[in-house]
């Protein structure tokens, strides 16, 4: 080797490159201005020769500095220039590539600063893998936050999964490693290879990948950002957060199936369900493809990764785009219960995950799953350590959740956050201005469904002993803004527990349970059911009825919107109550949870007037026995249920009926 070139070599650091022990490969590799010209150094394992090919056609033979494949050349020019390097191998093959180390960092310093400070909830825009065009050179910028790593490499199909070839550059002391690799394209598979303290080397899935393989310890896909959305009309008309509280909202719970189907087929299945019903939203479960992390603060990772079992990222975006064009809102299940959110950077990553779901996937909200596991240190855990005050609350998680809802409240005023809470946090939906309140828009109320299943799971002869379970939900209802849970698990459990072998009785119980749920205050999360024609007819009619009658939704969370008529008729297992709208209109709801026809049943009513049956779960078109009240009835001055006026009508067996009220107009000349 030429002595002048030899003297320019940093031999200890070269050894670090060859053995992949360093974190700043750009200190050596690429181009550097030195005394006498431009020094170019390159490394490619097993290469026996290398040539620099300048864009102007000139070539410069590189000298071997180390037989492992390390080369250098000193070119007597003053300015850096564009070039490629051609490597030669013993078998006569050659490989020509752009020099990845001849490109600057693609990450803005301001983004890194805000990330470290905990003020950046869009880290997915610069961490992970991003297709880029840098001054005409196309490639992918790879970046990862790995604060305890000694060295990070990106490995993939493009470098034969060899961690020595593309070693990432550590950016100052941020814990972020990055490298722009020219020539890599969308759909390429890759992983990060990390050397930890102590010398252990691990291969990990990119925590910021948008999609990864469907297997344990998967490789990630490079995803492009070229999808063309066409749901602008839906997004521009999305209701404000407060207006959702006044609007009908019934959420169809859909778990991605454990079978070989595509996102296109899933879209069709959901659209078919909505054509047979009038749900307002769907919540997609098992979409975010989290998996166990292998190191550092990522106990679980993949919070940006869409389940690829059913198709590509664009296929999933097409699903949401199609649903929006059918006026179907989309919520996505999201959880964070195994994450150490006490560190600024980790909290930023999780904030960014939620933002990614809203901004990049166009979701209309998130459903935070397993909230109890996040906010309580002992919930569903055998071993746990108390917080600094000796309590069981996870103070860091609580602060994180409040921060999340503060961000959503400021930045995403037309989307919602929902908490799936089984642990009973005292104030899930209260304003974050209140101490201890988490700030969610809604909390899923499982107690309602559990109590209803407990009641209906008993033989009708003995249900009176469980009657109080029906009204128990209203005792604490106004403590939270609830979504009543009556999803697939609830339905399956109810079908299994309903006594008797007569199919008609089972379906009558299910119809009554559904109707009672829709009449009860609170938004709904519902599973559509078994697909029978009469059942589909019933669900469509029920959801239509719910959407058209504002009395059932407009004042869900105001105590003036609901009034019991009778919740003490345990022997008959009959309940009755009033639902109200803001303009004073009312509906009277009466439920009979025994298989007994109750003729001329006396019910107290709130006002003098006429009451007409407008919905009956026992209608023959729904598969019922056809016990209907076809004529409107006028109230009489006959005290009942603590009210001066009452009516008499027939209650169908195992049925729920809804009555519309019309005020009696006095005839002209009537002096009374």
């Amino acid at each position: 080797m030429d002595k002048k070139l030899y003297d320019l070599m940093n031999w200890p650091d070269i050894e670090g490159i060859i053995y992949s022990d360093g974190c700043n490969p750009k200190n050596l590799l690429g181009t550097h201005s030195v005394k006498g010209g431009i020094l170019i150094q390159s490394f490619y394992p097993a290469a026996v020769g290398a040539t620099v090919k300048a864009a102007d056609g000139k070539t410069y033979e590189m000298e071997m500095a180390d037989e492992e494949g390390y080369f250098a050349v000193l070119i007597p020019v003053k300015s850096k220039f564009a070039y490629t390097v051609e490597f030669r191998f013993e078998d006569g093959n050659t490989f020509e590539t752009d020099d990845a180390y001849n490109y600057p960092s693609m990450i803005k310093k301001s983004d890194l600063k805000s990330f470290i400070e905990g003020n950046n909830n869009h880290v997915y825009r610069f961490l992970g893998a991003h297709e880029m065009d840098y001054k005409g050179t196309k490639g992918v910028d790879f970046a990862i936050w790995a604060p305890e790593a000694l060295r990070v490499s990106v490995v993939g199909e493009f470098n034969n999964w060899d961690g020595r070839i593309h070693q990432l550059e550590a950016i100052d002391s941020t814990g972020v490693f990055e490298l722009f690799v020219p020539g890599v394209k969308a759909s390429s598979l890759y992983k990060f290879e990390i050397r930890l303290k102590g010398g252990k080397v691990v291969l990990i899935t990119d925590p910021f990948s948008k999609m990864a393989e469907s297997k344990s310890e998967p490789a990630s896909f490079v995803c492009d950002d070229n999808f063309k959305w066409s749901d602008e009309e839906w997004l521009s008309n999305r209701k404000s957060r407060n207006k959702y509280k006044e609007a009908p909202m019934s959420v169809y719970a859909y778990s991605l199936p454990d079978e070989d189907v595509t996102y296109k087929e899933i879209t069709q299945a959901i659209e078919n369900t909505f054509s047979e019903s009038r749900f307002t939203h769907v919540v997609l479960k098992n979409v975010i493809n989290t998996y166990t992390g292998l190191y550092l603060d990522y106990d679980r990772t993949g919070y940006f990764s869409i389940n690829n079992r059913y198709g590509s990222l664009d296929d999933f975006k097409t699903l949401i785009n199609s649903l929006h064009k059918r006026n179907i809102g989309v919520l996505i299940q999201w959880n964070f219960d195994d994450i150490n959110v006490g560190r600024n950077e980790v909290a930023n990553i999780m904030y960014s995950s939620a933002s990614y779901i809203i901004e990049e996937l166009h979701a209309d909200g998130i459903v935070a799953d397993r909230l109890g596991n996040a906010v309580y240190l002992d919930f569903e855990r055998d071993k746990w350590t108390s917080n600094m005050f000796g309590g069981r609350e996870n103070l860091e998680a609580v602060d994180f959740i409040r921060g999340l809802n503060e961000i959503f409240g400021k930045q995403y005023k037309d989307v919602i956050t929902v908490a799936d809470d089984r642990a009973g946090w005292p104030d899930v939906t209260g304003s974050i201005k209140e101490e201890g309140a988490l700030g969610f828009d809604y909390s899923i109320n499982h107690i309602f469904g559990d109590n209803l299943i407990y009641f209906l799971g008993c033989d009708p002869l003995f249900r009176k002993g469980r009657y109080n379970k029906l009204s128990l939900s209203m005792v604490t209802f106004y403590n939270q803004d609830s979504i009543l849970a009556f999803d697939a698990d609830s339905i399956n459990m109810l079908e299994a527990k309903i006594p008797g072998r007569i199919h008609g009785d089972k379906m009558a119980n299910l119809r009554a349970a559904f109707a009672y749920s829709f009449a009860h205050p609170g938004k709904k999360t519902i599973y559509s059911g078994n697909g029978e024609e009469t059942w589909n007819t019933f669900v469509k009619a029920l959801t239509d009825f719910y959407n058209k009658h504002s009395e059932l939704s407009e004042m869900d969370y105001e105590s003036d919107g609901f009034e019991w008529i009778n919740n003490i008729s345990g022997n008959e297992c009959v309940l009755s109550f009033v639902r109200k709208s803001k303009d004073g209109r009312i509906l009277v709801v009466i439920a009979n949870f025994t298989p007994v026809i109750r003729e001329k049943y006396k019910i107290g009513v709130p006002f003098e007037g006429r009451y007409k049956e407008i919905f009956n779960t026992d209608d023959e078109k729904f598969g019922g026995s056809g016990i209907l009240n076809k004529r409107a009835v006028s109230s009489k001055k006959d005290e009942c249920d603590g009210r001066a006026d009452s009516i008499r009508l027939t209650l169908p067996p195992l049925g729920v009926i809804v009555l519309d009220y019309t005020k009696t107009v006095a005839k002209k000349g009537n002096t009374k």
Side-chain angles (χ1 to χ4, degrees), residues 111-184:
D111 283 337
L112 286 173
K113 183 175 184 294
S114 60
F115 171 54
I116 299 304
E117 292 174 347
N119 299 316
N120 191 321
N121 60 313
H122 294 94
V123 299
Y124 59 85
R125 293 177 180 173
F126 58 89
L127 295 178
H130 297 273
E131 275 195 309
M132 290 188 174
D133 186 327
Y134 180 77
K135 296 182 178 180
T137 300
K138 295 182 179 180
V140 173
D141 192 54
F142 293 96
I144 184 174
W145 178 67
E148 297 183 23
L150 297 179
R151 184 265 303 172
V152 178
S153 299
V154 62
V155 298
E157 301 168 318
F158 46 84
N159 61 15
N160 297 317
W161 303 92
D162 190 330
R164 297 171 293 175
I165 296 175
H166 291 119
Q167 301 174 45
L168 274 59
E169 179 76 5
I171 303 179
D172 302 325
S173 58
T174 62
V176 174
F177 292 73
E178 181 216 13
L179 186 68
F180 175 73
V181 182
V184 179

Side-chain angles (χ1 to χ4, degrees), residues 1-11 14 39 41 63-65 72-74:
M1 174 176 279
D2 177 81
K3 183 177 186 306
K4 188 174 183 181
L5 183 60
Y6 180 91
D7 289 341
L8 290 172
M9 297 295 97
N10 184 330
W11 297 106
I14 289 174
L39 175 64
Q41 299 177 79
E63 294 191 49
M64 179 179 283
V73 62
L74 179 63

Side-chain angles (χ1 to χ4, degrees), residues 34 75 150 155 166 193-195 230 284 400 476 489 619 658:
V34 296
I75 302 173
L150 297 179
V155 298
H166 291 119
E193 181 183 280
I194 297 179
R195 184 184 294 275
S230 56
L284 299 176
F400 165 79
T476 59
D489 291 338
D619 198 311
V658 182

Side-chain angles (χ1 to χ4, degrees), residues 631-646:
R631 295 183 178 181
V633 294
S634 297
S635 65
K636 295 183 178 180
K637 292 295 181 182
D638 187 6
E639 192 277 335
C640 182
D641 299 323
R643 300 169 187 271
D645 296 279
S646 65

Side-chain angles (χ1 to χ4, degrees), residues 8 61 157 174 202 223-224 262 275 288 304 306 326-327 338 402 424 435 459 539 546 551 647 659 664:
L8 290 172
E61 189 66 22
E157 301 168 318
T174 62
V202 296
C223 296
D224 62 39
T262 65
S275 69
I288 305 301
F304 302 85
I306 300 303
R326 291 282 299 271
N327 292 320
D338 293 321
R402 287 165 56 85
E435 184 177 356
D459 188 290
V539 172
Y546 169 71
E551 299 96 324
I647 58 175
L659 308 177
T664 300

Side-chain angles (χ1 to χ4, degrees), residues 310-328:
Y310 313 97
S312 67
L313 177 59
D314 280 0
D315 291 335
F316 180 75
K317 290 180 178 179
T318 299
L319 182 156
I320 294 181
N321 195 62
S322 298
L323 295 180
H324 279 171
K325 294 177 78 171
R326 291 282 299 271
N327 292 320
I328 300 170

